[in-house]
Amino acid sequence: MKLLIKNGVIVTPNGEKKSDLLIENDKISRIAPAIDEKCKTVDASGKHVLAGLIDMHVHLREPGFEGKEDIESGCKAAVKGGVTQVCCMPNTNPVNDNAVVTTYIKHRANEVNLCKVNPVGCITKGQEGESLSDIGKMKSAGIVAISDDGKSVDNSLIMRLAMEYANGFNLKCLCHCEDKKLVDGGVVNEGYNSTLAGLKGSPRAAEDIMIARDIALSESLDIPVHICHVSTYSGVELIRNAKKRGVKVTAETCPHYFILTDDIITSYDTNTKVNPPVREDRDRQAIIAGLKDGTLDCIVTDHAPHSQKDKQVEYNLAAFGISGIETSFALSYTYLVKTGIMSLQELSKKMSKNPANILSLDGGEIKEGAVADITIVDLNKKYTIDGNKFVSKGKNTPFNGYEVFGEVNYTIVDGEIKYADGGK
């Protein structure tokens, strides 16, 4: 099977160039100024051709929480957002702590046949933090990393053993950094706005303490570690200093942490409730600086879809989480590239190449011989975010009404068009 992309501006780490791109079977076979080939053709005039986006932190909810999301609806949302690969977290029901659940997720993803789904296995059995999961068997079944995301592994010895054991299988620990006892039931960032709103706050230290612990273990063991959804200025500084010392640490953040501040919580809109919480402008500015200087390697969504009944309750009772996979590229492009903070090439690296490198995934770049995972976007197209139009079951977004640039026109996975202009 062949597919020809004509007249697009191809974005690579080395810059942009107007070229044609020929796909044969599931690989990019040729990139040239003009290619004539009798086959299915996509006219990308006026569009940018990017390496397929990789979101290494999502929650697909299946098995067990299909009322919030399932693998099919989550994958539909992913390809609408230009995402060709996702890594799904293991806090399902049952949790993904064994090869049977891993195999089920892979099987369902193959049935759906939209984006690539890479399962993340639990660090500990039942996510209870007491004993290691069957990491080797899950690796054989298809996991690409381990995490107890949604919870930290409080026991430092268990965390050490997990890092050592996983490293033997060339897997990384993706660390949810949260001292739950210090959070003590907090639902928003601890500060002026939590006091003003009368909502219990969660201090930065609850995140920073665990970031510091996991960096210390990585440095002591000389084993790579990845820090999830960084939200604090002090966390950014801990990671920056660790990298300067040569610690093998990588880190991610999400659009809500570099766009929003905790001013939003005074609306009591439960769509603003997320864990870790959106913090103050000092934190937001530090997140932006960390993305710009390479301290933060990746932009992910922590896509956390919920049903309306999970959100249409009192703020203290509402579920944590934002449904973000359909808006991540447009928000990132609008607030990071349009503002001059980084180039489109740098954004592509944060959303494609770096996640692929960190998790040893096939993808993340456009070159001859590479896998044909491609996202085509119209950077000039402006639209208004409307959660009610999400194809995800989760409509929970704090970005309703935001005007953004960067509409996804095509999402191509293994050389096959999986999304095209909203299916029109």
Side-chain angles (χ1 to χ4, degrees):
M1 188 186 76
K2 294 182 180 180
L3 177 66
L4 178 60
I5 301 172
K6 294 281 293 181
N7 306 314
V9 179
I10 296 176
V11 179
T12 70
N14 299 321
E16 302 177 4
K17 59 180 178 180
K18 187 174 180 180
S19 296
D20 294 350
L21 185 152
L22 180 64
I23 297 168
E24 296 188 72
N25 298 319
D26 61 349
K27 296 288 192 286
I28 298 170
S29 64
R30 190 149 56 105
I31 300 172
I35 300 174
D36 292 320
E37 191 81 23
K38 291 184 178 180
C39 62
K40 185 171 183 177
T41 300
V42 170
D43 183 6
S45 298
K47 312 294 195 301
H48 284 69
V49 181
L50 309 173
L53 306 182
I54 300 173
D55 192 338
M56 61 180 284
H57 192 142
V58 306
H59 298 267
L60 295 182
R61 304 301 192 194
E62 186 178 353
F65 300 110
E66 289 86 354
K68 299 172 184 284
E69 190 80 288
D70 56 44
I71 290 171
E72 182 174 4
S73 63
C75 289
K76 285 180 178 177
V79 295
K80 185 182 177 186
V83 176
T84 58
Q85 296 194 58
V86 299
C87 300
C88 57
M89 291 296 158
N91 54 337
T92 49
N93 184 25
V95 297
N96 185 16
D97 63 359
N98 61 80
V100 173
V101 178
T102 303
T103 301
Y104 170 81
I105 293 168
K106 294 290 289 185
H107 176 72
R108 283 288 296 126
N110 288 336
E111 285 183 333
V112 169
N113 192 28
L114 287 169
C115 68
K116 297 170 184 175
V117 176
N118 305 297
V120 176
C122 286
I123 294 175
T124 63
K125 291 181 179 178
Q127 281 193 303
E128 294 176 354
E130 296 178 359
S131 60
L132 294 183
S133 298
D134 295 325
I135 295 170
K137 291 181 180 178
M138 288 191 293
K139 166 74 173 184
S140 297
I143 66 167
V144 297
I146 58 172
S147 180
D148 271 2
D149 187 64
K151 298 180 180 179
S152 278
V153 178
D154 293 334
N155 186 315
S156 295
L157 176 59
I158 294 293
M159 191 63 188
R160 172 186 175 157
L161 294 173
M163 291 172 66
E164 290 177 319
Y165 195 63
N167 191 55
F169 292 99
N170 194 32
L171 295 171
K172 287 187 175 70
C173 290
L174 313 182
C175 301
H176 176 108
C177 294
E178 179 185 29
D179 184 329
K180 202 69 176 178
K181 290 185 178 179
L182 187 54
V183 171
D184 191 30
V187 295
V188 294
N189 178 64
E190 182 178 274
Y192 173 80
N193 282 314
S194 64
T195 303
L196 183 66
L199 296 170
K200 187 171 178 59
S202 173
R204 290 182 186 86
E207 183 174 343
D208 297 343
I209 285 168
M210 300 306 282
I211 291 176
R213 192 275 307 263
D214 292 339
I215 287 173
L217 285 171
S218 174
E219 188 167 18
S220 175
L221 301 170
D222 193 31
I223 290 175
V225 71
H226 181 81
I227 308 299
C228 293
H229 41 51
V230 177
S231 74
T232 69
Y233 75 83
S234 35
V236 172
E237 194 62 22
L238 284 166
I239 295 161
R240 180 179 289 117
N241 289 334
K243 285 191 170 189
K244 288 178 180 177
R245 298 196 306 274
V247 181
K248 297 174 180 176
V249 58
T250 54
E252 67 187 39
T253 193
C254 310
H256 39 278
Y257 299 124
F258 60 77
I259 297 173
L260 304 175
T261 71
D262 65 350
D263 288 346
I264 61 174
I265 68 171
T266 57
S267 69
Y268 298 98
D269 179 358
T270 57
N271 289 323
T272 67
K273 186 179 179 182
V274 64
N275 189 29
V278 172
R279 301 193 189 271
E280 298 175 18
D281 194 58
R282 180 180 183 181
D283 303 284
R284 187 183 71 85
Q285 295 289 350
I287 296 292
I288 291 171
L291 285 168
K292 190 172 182 177
D293 70 13
T295 300
L296 301 176
D297 303 88
C298 307
I299 296 171
V300 303
T301 61
D302 193 8
H303 175 68
H306 289 290
S307 65
Q308 289 188 346
K309 69 178 182 180
D310 296 318
K311 285 290 191 177
Q312 291 183 350
V313 292
E314 294 177 25
Y315 204 99
N316 285 327
L317 301 177
F320 290 97
I322 290 170
S323 182
I325 203 165
E326 294 173 58
T327 57
S328 59
F329 176 78
L331 285 167
S332 299
Y333 175 74
T334 302
Y335 285 89
L336 295 176
V337 179
K338 289 279 286 182
T339 56
I341 291 168
M342 65 174 61
S343 68
L344 182 60
Q345 291 81 18
E346 290 169 325
L347 179 63
S348 177
K349 191 175 180 182
K350 301 285 186 189
M351 301 187 78
S352 297
K353 188 172 178 59
N354 286 357
N357 289 345
I358 289 167
L359 295 181
S360 301
L361 303 175
D362 190 10
E365 56 186 331
I366 293 181
K367 64 179 182 180
E368 291 181 356
V371 64
D373 290 351
I374 292 169
T375 304
I376 301 176
V377 297
D378 184 346
L379 299 180
N380 295 315
K381 183 61 180 294
K382 182 170 71 171
Y383 70 95
T384 301
I385 293 173
D386 181 355
N388 291 321
K389 295 181 179 178
F390 287 178
V391 297
S392 168
K393 291 183 181 180
K395 315 302 180 186
N396 47 302
T397 175
F399 294 109
N400 272 318
Y402 278 57
E403 288 191 340
V404 291
F405 290 84
E407 182 179 66
V408 174
N409 293 139
Y410 292 91
T411 303
I412 298 166
V413 181
D414 284 336
E416 295 185 10
I417 297 172
K418 299 298 184 179
Y419 174 85
D421 291 327
K424 295 176 183 176

